[in-house]
Amino acid sequence: MQRLEWVGSDGSANGDSVVQSGNEDCWAVIRGSDNLAWNQFDAHKVGWIIAGTFALAATIISGLHIAAHLKHYTIPRQQRHIVRIILMIPIYSIISFLSYRFYREAPYYTAVRDCYEAFAIAAFYMLLLQYIGDSSTAQKQQMLDKRGLKWTFPFNCFVINPSHRRTFDLLKWGILQYVVISPLNTIVTIIAHANGVFCPDSMRPRYAHLWVAIIDFISISVAMYALVSLYRVIKDDISDQKPFLKFIAIKAIVFLTFWEGFIISWLGSNNIHVIKGTKYWTKDNVVDGLTALVICIEMVLFAAL
């Protein structure tokens, strides 16, 4: 067992403590205090200000976009999905800031963020369908003329037949399966973390982190592949709607956040030891903080698209 002393509000080392328990490859934080002296944690304070500033900027910019759509709410069937997609940015920004500020609860905030990610992907799928037709009959009719197309790489040696009902259903459920699996993964993450068996800095099979990461990677890869394939099939028909930036934003946000989190977590794993804990932060806290800070900064760029 390892004990790290928190600095009290008077600057002394008499504050509450955080107790970590576990074996050499998985440490679980049991309790601690956020009552840290303001004259401590210089790097943390700077990161806190930066994360908050960028999160606020991204939220304001996204809010202006949403307000513009609501003011000119002339195509409700399409605009409701657009608003849901735009909401992805402030939700990511705010949750990432909270993950940085309340770093010991970061896994719970991240789990909620991932749930909305699945919802945003489903919203973009529904938006694409609305672009090609207001009803399912009109959407399927639009697909009848699609012939001679090939699947997206790496299966581009096979021909796709979008007019076939099975192909349409395959693309549909390839996307929507993530909407089911992501919340289930979130529930498993919360339960495993609360019971000390999640262990985000370990990739050993006996901990839930490895299996959650594998399932999430497969599920999101299938969803994005199906979404890209659908977009390729109908992109000429919806060129007047100019959905390309929305498509790039969704794809970039999903893959950047996934791979950034994976790489930063890998750098902090017990086998690599590039990212290490400090006097006041555990290694997991540092990994979660860096990931949250990067996302807050990136969301401003996506909000401007």
Side-chain angles (χ1 to χ4, degrees):
M1 180 170 292
Q2 180 180 4
R3 180 179 295 273
L4 300 177
E5 292 297 329
W6 268 179
V7 175
S9 58
D10 59 353
S12 66
N14 297 321
D16 293 336
S17 62
V18 59
V19 178
Q20 296 181 318
S21 62
N23 55 36
E24 68 280 359
D25 63 312
C26 180
W27 293 94
V29 177
I30 305 302
R31 65 178 181 272
S33 172
D34 283 320
N35 189 27
L36 302 172
W38 184 245
N39 62 348
Q40 303 292 331
F41 271 125
D42 288 343
H44 176 61
K45 287 190 294 183
V46 172
W48 187 2
I49 294 171
I50 293 174
T53 301
F54 278 92
L56 179 62
T59 302
I60 292 174
I61 296 172
S62 301
L64 293 175
H65 289 316
I66 292 173
H69 276 286
L70 295 179
K71 183 178 180 180
H72 305 285
Y73 202 60
T74 56
I75 315 177
R77 288 177 179 270
Q78 297 178 11
Q79 288 177 289
R80 67 166 64 104
H81 298 302
I82 294 174
V83 169
R84 290 166 182 168
I85 294 170
I86 297 175
L87 275 173
M88 189 178 186
I89 294 173
I91 287 175
Y92 264 56
S93 301
I94 293 171
I95 287 181
S96 295
F97 172 72
L98 292 175
S99 297
Y100 190 93
R101 173 62 184 88
F102 304 103
Y103 42 87
R104 287 197 297 280
E105 287 76 30
Y108 302 108
Y109 291 122
T110 302
V112 174
R113 183 199 69 193
D114 291 343
C115 276
Y116 194 84
E117 175 183 273
F119 181 72
I121 289 175
F124 187 71
Y125 165 72
M126 297 302 296
L127 177 62
L128 292 180
L129 293 185
Q130 285 298 316
Y131 280 157
I132 62 175
D134 291 335
S135 65
S136 59
T137 303
Q139 293 162 6
K140 292 175 182 177
Q141 184 64 35
Q142 190 72 19
M143 292 289 189
L144 292 178
D145 298 329
K146 306 295 181 182
R147 307 283 183 183
L149 300 175
K150 292 186 176 182
W151 284 96
T152 307
F153 180 85
F155 302 111
N156 51 337
C157 55
F158 299 101
V159 176
I160 181 174
N161 183 11
S163 62
H164 200 287
R165 180 178 178 84
R166 289 184 179 178
T167 303
F168 190 80
D169 289 341
L170 184 63
L171 293 174
K172 172 184 175 181
W173 291 111
I175 297 168
L176 296 183
Q177 53 81 26
Y178 185 60
V179 180
V180 177
I181 292 178
S182 181
L184 292 178
N185 255 357
T186 296
I187 294 172
V188 171
T189 298
I190 291 175
I191 294 175
H193 189 78
N195 287 277
V197 293
F198 185 69
C199 303
D201 63 342
S202 176
M203 298 299 287
R204 296 193 177 188
R206 57 181 170 177
Y207 299 120
H209 176 240
L210 173 63
W211 303 109
V212 168
I214 290 174
I215 293 172
D216 190 55
F217 174 74
I218 294 174
S219 179
I220 197 171
S221 296
V222 170
M224 293 306 296
Y225 182 85
L227 194 62
V228 170
S229 298
L230 176 63
Y231 178 78
R232 288 182 63 247
V233 169
I234 65 175
K235 65 178 181 180
D236 293 334
D237 299 320
I238 62 176
S239 57
D240 293 340
Q241 306 293 341
K242 299 179 180 179
F244 182 71
L245 288 179
K246 298 184 188 70
F247 175 72
I248 291 298
I250 285 283
K251 190 174 180 181
I253 290 174
V254 170
F255 273 101
L256 277 177
T257 53
F258 178 85
W259 284 109
E260 284 167 356
F262 178 82
I263 292 173
I264 294 175
S265 178
W266 176 72
L267 291 175
S269 65
N270 291 316
N271 297 327
I272 305 299
H273 289 298
V274 173
I275 297 176
K276 301 178 181 179
T278 67
K279 181 179 179 181
Y280 304 105
W281 281 31
T282 66
K283 181 171 55 179
D284 288 347
N285 296 154
V286 176
V287 167
D288 292 335
L290 286 175
T291 304
L293 181 60
V294 170
I295 291 175
C296 285
I297 295 173
E298 289 173 343
M299 287 304 107
V300 176
L301 302 178
F302 290 121
L305 291 178

